[in-house]
Amino acid sequence: MSSADPNVLILAGGLSHERDVSLRSGRRVAEALREAGCRVRVADLGLDLLAVLDDAKKLPDIVWPLLHGATGENGSVRDVLDLLGIPYLGSPPRACRAAWNKPVAKSAIARAGLATPRFLTLPQSLFQQLGADALLALICERFGLPVVVKPSEGGSALGVSKVEDPAHLGKALVQCFAYHEVALIEEAVSGVELAISVVDLGDGPVALPAVEIVTDGFYDYDARYNPGRAEFFAPARLTETDAERAAHLALAAHDALGMVRLSRTDAILANDGALYFLEANVAPGMQETSLLPQAALAAGHTLPTLYRNLVEASLPTP
Amino acid sequence: MSAKPSGTRLDPWYGAYAARTLGMKASETRALFAVANRPEVVSLAGGMPFLEALPMEIVAKVTADLIATDGTTALQYGNGQGHPKLREAIVEVMAEEHMRPHPDDIVITTGSQQALDLVTRIFCDPGDVVLAEGPSYVGALGVFRAYEADVVHVPMDEHGLVPEALREALAMCAKQGRTIKFLYLIPNFHNPAGVRLPMARREEILAICQSAGVLVVEDNAYGLLAFDGSIIPALHSLDSEGVLYLGTFSKLLAPGYRMGWASAPHAVRERLVLASESAILCPSHYSQLSIAAYLESVDWRGQIADYRDAYRVRCETMNEALSEFLPECSWNIPEGGFYIWTKTPPGIDTKSMLPRATTALVAYVSGTGFYADGQGADHMRLSFCFPTPERIREGIRRLSGVVRRELELVEMFGHPDQLPDDLPADIDVPAPDLA
């Protein structure tokens, strides 16, 4: 390690519901970067952070925000980094805001000519104003079931339920509103679940092989973070054409939402062959069971080298 | 599609685990507790004792002296039953609650949690019934589940386990031909229900169990923590053959020592020792001798009184704050211990509500963690043991906003707990190191 090796400050933790996942992501990336020769510190969001970031002696060459959820992915921490003039790895605040809010992201994707399942965006207050029973009945009758109910902002499938029975829609919404006051009600599409990561090592965004996720039920928090319940295929078992379509979708989403350096797009290849965008992530999970590292390994990368290359590509040009 | 041979489950041993481990997983609920240690969050969730009430300088001196004078013994292996010096000291501690065991009856364990594990291991086969209060201590339910015992909850009221309900549970199990191995009972300042079993009920419950030939496992972490210092004799003091007693230093002194014990009849004790040796060889000699030295040189009764005072003030604060901010809830007013068991207004599901609470920077434990059968969504356990009184008040104030918001949802969507629920998650409580 020398002074030429990048000095990286990883931000992990925070106060979101995904704190635990973020801390694990931070530790994994820190280990890999150290192995690649970088000087690495990991910091939580706290009262001392601004002092650290404002101290010229402690100033890192670059910050890698690995905060999942809320302030980590909605662009606000990156706004502060911009204010301080500290370079960071990843998407700018505007892209974060677009990707973090699922209805906004889906609308942008639709405007870009890409397919995404039909959806409604309904705040808790609207159920109060219009009457929950009437609105629930209307959703079941006109929109139809099954649907996936998601907090319009959030990650790790927290507060997400699949609803097939009208009697369960109210409960799904109650669980959703505990995480966020606006619900995204999305047509449930059956098919192959895919996650396609995009990295940009300085020569433009490149899609990594799609990862296929097979679970014995809903791809919920347990299936995501307790190894075993989900089976992953990297690369996904797709025809060459479908693999290309998946890569194109992720690159188009990366571009449409203005994402930078790395992203992950979750998609579904429906049983009828249509490929749908579900959501995009500016701070994809990087822990043991996460999808981007799996895709990177499938593409032949080693994680330490890939992460260092991402860091170096993000450093400001002298 | 060009099929690949197989994918990965990211765990090469996934198919190799014993069936009884299938429930051992981190739940979404548990992940929410990750924020509980952050200073912004008022955690009313954990059961961590208020260690600032300990005379740390004395603890430090006692420990330093131990190592200086007897370090080669303290850091050496010990025997499986535990060091005689600590067993003698434990007899003194137990005498406070009218028990008179012989030091040879005592088996030292790594916290009373290990004692509970050993007891369940030597008594329970898969499918055996353990009777337990409903609600009951989550750590015990985890042990019973690990040994594939079936928990049958026996209802409680404001005075603890209801004797008539115990008779009914015994009759039901007999009718079904099920084998009951023991009644697991927390008689003092119950975790989570906070109540203390009156003497008359202790005698009645004991008589019922004696008549049915059912062993009582008495778990007593909080018996010396009555706010007024009052004592109700332990069930073990009434029947040392029919009651297997579990004690701990975690709440009387400090959980970091990981020291507990069982007091058991001779034959049971022999099996406990053998089971313990196969599990851990011997309990920590260092912790045993540290505690023995502490008990020998410090006014430990006075130190427990300090704890009681601290917890009394905190409990009063929580009770007042609940009255002021959450009058729509109902709760018991404990006379000791760590917890207030709070019933929420109809329709609120405290497990579903938890994300809203952590967003509002307050944490509690949903009642669902304290039942083996998915009950408890209408309760939450509020701990007053660790936060300062000011923080407790602020936490309850925050919680009131959370409950109000949730009530709006209940009004809108009806009572969601009346709808089919998911299976109870296995680990719905914070890790032990979270306040």
Side-chain angles (χ1 to χ4, degrees):
Chain A
M1 212 180 294
S2 73
S3 58
D5 292 314
N7 180 350
V8 184
L9 178 69
I10 291 173
L11 294 182
L15 260 180
S16 87
H17 297 125
E18 295 175 81
R19 173 179 173 79
D20 198 32
V21 180
S22 168
L23 289 170
R24 279 185 270 165
S25 286
R27 282 195 292 269
R28 298 296 282 196
V29 172
E31 273 169 34
L33 285 175
R34 285 190 189 109
E35 197 179 324
C38 296
R39 292 169 290 158
V40 184
R41 283 176 296 155
V42 181
D44 202 343
L45 284 194
L47 294 176
D48 56 343
L49 184 62
L50 285 182
V52 170
L53 291 173
D54 221 10
D55 182 344
K57 287 179 197 157
K58 295 180 180 172
L59 211 56
D61 296 322
I62 193 160
V63 169
W64 188 333
L66 275 163
L67 298 155
H68 303 318
T71 50
E73 291 186 78
N74 67 8
S76 51
V77 166
R78 296 169 202 229
D79 267 329
V80 173
L81 293 170
D82 279 341
L83 206 57
L84 290 163
I86 296 174
Y88 51 85
L89 191 156
S91 297
R94 189 174 167 186
C96 294
R97 282 190 280 275
W100 173 240
N101 185 288
K102 292 182 176 70
V104 169
K106 282 167 70 77
S107 300
I109 291 298
R111 277 199 303 278
L114 302 165
T116 186
R118 293 182 303 124
F119 68 101
L120 302 168
T121 310
L122 301 174
Q124 183 177 325
S125 58
L126 196 63
F127 285 89
Q128 206 162 18
Q129 291 167 50
L130 300 182
D133 288 347
L135 194 45
L136 289 173
L138 187 68
I139 294 165
C140 293
E141 188 188 318
R142 299 288 178 89
F143 192 81
L145 300 181
V147 293
V148 178
V149 177
K150 308 175 178 179
S152 69
E153 296 181 357
S156 293
L158 293 168
V160 178
S161 318
K162 185 175 180 183
V163 179
E164 299 183 34
D165 182 337
H168 298 171
L169 185 56
K171 176 163 187 171
L173 283 161
V174 170
Q175 287 174 342
C176 167
F177 288 138
Y179 285 92
H180 189 67
E181 60 193 12
V182 181
L184 173 78
I185 299 174
E186 186 178 60
E187 176 188 9
V189 177
S190 297
V192 180
E193 289 221 40
L194 299 170
I196 312 107
S197 301
V198 171
V199 292
D200 180 350
L201 300 176
D203 299 323
V206 174
L208 297 174
V211 178
E212 176 186 350
I213 303 135
V214 180
T215 61
D216 56 357
F218 193 52
Y219 187 42
D220 56 14
Y221 185 90
D222 169 53
R224 282 165 198 250
Y225 297 113
N226 289 306
R229 244 196 69 200
E231 188 173 14
F232 301 95
F233 294 84
R237 298 168 297 175
L238 300 174
T239 62
E240 202 172 312
T241 309
D242 283 338
E244 280 172 14
R245 289 170 66 208
H248 171 74
L249 176 74
L251 288 167
H254 188 87
D255 180 56
L257 297 170
M259 296 189 286
V260 170
R261 201 61 63 200
L262 83 168
S263 68
R264 196 192 76 222
T265 288
D266 297 340
I268 195 153
L269 178 61
N271 294 335
D272 64 3
L275 183 64
Y276 292 101
F277 168 93
L278 295 177
E279 59 186 75
N281 302 272
V282 294
M286 304 293 262
Q287 57 138 329
E288 295 91 328
T289 58
S290 295
L291 298 158
L292 189 147
Q294 289 190 57
L297 293 171
H301 291 287
T302 61
L303 298 182
T305 305
L306 175 66
Y307 295 167
R308 176 161 181 152
N309 289 342
L310 282 168
V311 164
E312 287 181 344
S314 307
L315 290 169
T317 11
Chain B
M1 285 189 184
S2 57
K4 300 279 176 191
S6 66
T8 173
R9 291 186 182 272
L10 303 177
D11 178 0
W13 310 112
Y14 182 65
Y17 295 118
R20 64 177 173 276
T21 68
L22 291 180
M24 291 181 181
K25 59 191 183 190
S27 70
E28 174 178 328
T29 307
R30 190 170 170 118
L32 297 175
F33 290 118
V35 298
N37 268 0
R38 288 279 308 214
E40 303 90 335
V41 176
V42 178
S43 178
L44 308 174
M48 286 163 59
F50 177 62
L51 294 187
E52 284 172 41
L54 268 187
M56 287 300 178
E57 66 293 347
I58 298 178
V59 174
K61 183 175 183 319
V62 165
T63 310
D65 288 351
L66 170 68
I67 295 301
T69 60
D70 209 9
T72 54
T73 306
L75 300 176
Q76 190 52 275
Y77 287 114
N79 70 54
Q81 188 174 355
H83 198 284
K85 203 171 170 183
L86 182 60
R87 286 191 274 125
E88 282 161 17
I90 284 171
V91 166
E92 267 190 62
V93 174
M94 291 175 71
E96 297 290 306
E97 293 177 85
H98 303 198
M99 292 171 277
R100 298 280 182 273
H102 189 277
D104 287 352
D105 297 334
I106 308 295
V107 181
I108 309 283
T109 54
T110 302
S112 62
Q113 187 72 18
Q114 195 217 348
L116 193 54
D117 185 277
L118 296 175
V119 169
T120 312
R121 186 192 305 190
I122 67 169
F123 279 106
C124 289
D125 288 316
D128 284 345
V129 169
V130 171
L131 299 175
E133 295 134 316
S136 188
Y137 166 52
V138 63
L141 298 179
V143 170
F144 303 150
R145 188 181 299 117
Y147 287 101
E148 302 175 78
D150 291 337
V151 174
V152 172
H153 286 295
V154 184
M156 309 172 76
D157 62 16
E158 68 274 23
H159 302 298
L161 184 136
V162 178
E164 192 49 39
L166 176 60
R167 286 191 190 89
E168 287 168 12
L170 289 165
M172 183 194 74
C173 290
K175 193 174 169 187
Q176 294 171 344
R178 304 174 78 186
T179 307
I180 299 171
K181 285 300 173 69
F182 55 82
L183 166 67
Y184 173 72
L185 195 67
I186 308 165
N188 292 311
F189 314 117
H190 187 276
N191 177 4
V195 298
R196 180 158 66 158
L197 202 61
M199 190 62 191
R201 277 210 185 172
R202 292 178 192 225
E203 289 167 343
E204 188 176 358
I205 287 167
L206 207 47
I208 295 169
C209 288
Q210 284 164 344
S211 162
V214 170
L215 175 70
V216 176
V217 175
E218 178 179 24
D219 190 351
N220 183 28
Y222 308 97
L224 296 180
L225 294 177
F227 300 144
D228 63 359
S230 64
I231 297 288
I232 297 180
L235 281 86
H236 188 65
S237 71
L238 307 173
D239 178 4
S240 60
E241 287 295 311
V243 179
L244 203 160
Y245 180 87
L246 310 183
T248 178
F249 286 108
S250 291
K251 315 297 186 189
L252 302 181
L253 182 54
Y257 288 112
R258 304 308 304 126
M259 281 287 107
W261 70 90
S263 176
H266 170 75
V268 177
R269 180 243 298 164
E270 289 300 308
R271 285 177 193 267
L272 288 176
V273 171
L274 291 171
S276 184
E277 284 176 358
S278 77
I280 61 164
L281 289 183
C282 64
S284 161
H285 226 200
Y286 172 70
S287 287
Q288 290 181 75
L289 291 176
S290 296
I291 292 180
Y294 178 83
L295 295 175
E296 199 174 70
S297 53
V298 173
D299 171 20
W300 55 270
R301 291 177 184 83
Q303 174 251 301
I304 291 173
D306 290 344
Y307 269 152
R308 282 199 293 263
D309 288 344
Y311 298 139
R312 179 179 45 75
V313 170
R314 285 163 166 71
C315 182
E316 284 168 3
T317 304
M318 182 173 277
N319 181 38
E320 285 163 14
L322 283 167
S323 300
E324 181 178 346
F325 295 116
L326 275 170
E328 58 273 64
C329 290
S330 56
W331 61 94
N332 61 307
I333 302 176
E335 295 167 351
F338 282 14
Y339 311 108
I340 291 185
W341 183 235
T342 308
K343 185 171 171 54
T344 49
I348 284 189
D349 179 335
T350 55
K351 185 174 166 184
S352 292
M353 188 173 73
L354 189 60
R356 187 186 296 286
T358 55
T359 302
L361 305 181
V362 60
Y364 61 84
V365 184
S366 165
T368 53
F370 304 98
Y371 287 90
D373 56 8
Q375 298 181 65
D378 58 348
H379 275 83
M380 53 188 164
R381 188 191 75 178
L382 302 176
S383 305
F384 52 77
C385 46
F386 192 74
T388 61
E390 296 72 27
R391 297 278 288 168
I392 287 171
R393 187 178 157 76
E394 172 60 15
I396 299 295
R397 191 192 64 75
R398 291 178 192 176
L399 194 55
S400 68
V402 172
V403 169
R404 301 268 145 67
R405 197 82 173 128
E406 199 71 8
L407 276 173
E408 287 176 14
L409 280 176
V410 171
E411 276 175 30
M412 272 191 274
F413 293 102
H415 292 185
D417 55 348
Q418 292 171 352
L419 296 174
D421 201 352
D422 302 323
L423 287 173
D426 281 82
I427 306 170
D428 271 357
V429 294
D433 63 331
L434 292 180

